[in-house]
Amino acid sequence: MAPTDNTADAAAPAPARGKRPKQGEPVIDRALSLLAVFTDRRRALTLSEMARHAGMPAPTALRLIARLVAWGALERLNDGRYVVGVRLWEVASLSPRGHGVREIALPYLEDLFEVTRHHVLLAVRDKEQAVLIERLSSKQATEVAYRVGGRAPLRSTAVGLVLLAGADADFQERILRQPPDIEPGVAPMPEGQLRRTLSDVHRTGIAMIRRSLPSLTVSVAAPIFDAQGTVVAALSIVVPDGSTPPNVLAPAVRATARAVSRNLGFKTELADDVRTHSQG
């Protein structure tokens, strides 16, 4: 049973003497910390749970939650729990890195989907993760790990490898020196193997990952470039492992990604120069 709001207040630690208490943080930071407590596994939360995860007293959380509900960032269910509001989706859809790329790519994604009839994914990078901004799936498609709006690791997903390969050298080095991801169903990739894999992605324009959970699948991804030759997104297809060889899937994925890139202003003949520069 979830703790009551009074329990949450009593359990909240008192600020350490001489340190700035959390209540002194800017209101916007505290409000954002409440939104940040929602995850794939925490879709609906009580006031007490939100306050506990955000590390603030329940009365403070209640005041901020009331404002977030009034604005539409949160919605209150009949059982008293809170969920993320539709207004946030409305605002997020205005992101040029999300909606803009998605709008241009969608017709091409639909064509690729008609060929595969499984999953077609589109992702962009946000800091050290990939964010899935579109997924087309048939009812018969095999189960996959990530949903639209969900985050995925860079080192252990095909779209993540493409986005990592297209990032600047300093960012790549930071990720390369981190411990391997512990991703269920995917073999961990140590630094040396990851360096070789990124080199292959630069050379071929294709990344491939096999996974055993939540189902046996193979994912093949390719980069989408903007007019400046920057990798702005990754496109992939996910099919049951063994259904179609990856080397058969790769040309279709690469051709679709290049078609989207051309519509973003990228000159296809520059692709080799971009890959050569990235390797240098």
Side-chain angles (χ1 to χ4, degrees), residues 83-269:
V83 296
V84 173
V86 176
R87 184 74 183 275
L88 282 184
W89 181 264
E90 179 185 357
V91 173
S93 71
L94 300 175
S95 167
R97 288 208 306 128
H99 180 71
V101 173
R102 175 189 174 276
E103 187 174 34
I104 291 173
L106 191 55
Y108 300 95
L109 300 182
E110 290 172 344
D111 289 343
L112 187 59
F113 172 72
E114 289 300 324
V115 174
T116 63
R117 303 303 298 179
H118 284 285
H119 301 284
V120 178
L121 282 59
L122 183 67
V124 297
R125 182 168 70 87
D126 182 40
K127 298 180 181 177
E128 297 187 0
Q129 294 177 304
V131 177
L132 193 64
I133 60 174
E134 184 57 272
R135 191 186 84 188
L136 304 181
S137 307
S138 70
K139 292 181 180 180
Q140 295 76 32
T142 187
E143 186 179 1
V144 291
Y146 303 106
R147 60 173 178 83
V148 175
R151 291 177 174 267
L154 297 179
R155 297 174 64 130
S156 53
T157 60
V159 290
L161 288 172
V162 164
L163 295 170
L164 180 56
D168 65 83
D170 290 341
F171 177 82
Q172 284 187 24
E173 285 300 317
R174 186 164 76 249
I175 299 299
L176 282 161
R177 291 191 174 95
Q178 293 177 359
D181 293 329
I182 306 302
E183 177 79 358
V186 181
M189 193 179 300
E191 180 181 340
Q193 182 184 355
L194 181 57
R195 288 185 183 276
R196 291 190 296 272
T197 298
L198 294 180
S199 177
D200 288 341
V201 173
H202 283 306
R203 178 174 55 83
T204 65
I206 287 291
M208 188 272 288
I209 285 284
R210 281 189 164 90
R211 62 187 309 141
S212 58
L213 292 174
S215 59
L216 291 169
T217 58
V218 59
S219 177
V220 179
I224 293 174
F225 299 91
D226 65 10
Q228 288 71 47
T230 302
V231 175
V232 293
L235 180 153
S236 77
I237 55 177
V238 183
V239 300
D241 197 359
S243 63
T244 308
N247 63 326
V248 174
L249 299 171
V253 176
R254 188 188 292 111
T256 303
R258 286 195 172 188
V260 177
S261 300
R262 284 196 297 271
N263 274 270
L264 289 171
F266 180 67
K267 303 300 183 184
T268 307
E269 61 269 18

Side-chain angles (χ1 to χ4, degrees), residues 47-94:
L47 165 63
S48 299
E49 291 167 338
M50 291 182 66
R52 184 173 70 254
H53 289 302
M56 69 177 65
T60 301
L62 179 60
R63 289 193 297 272
L64 292 171
I65 288 170
R67 296 305 306 156
L68 291 170
V69 169
W71 187 79
L74 293 175
E75 295 176 5
R76 191 174 188 271
L77 303 179
N78 291 334
D79 62 5
R81 295 181 300 164
Y82 295 91
V83 296
V84 173
V86 176
R87 184 74 183 275
L88 282 184
W89 181 264
E90 179 185 357
V91 173
S93 71
L94 300 175

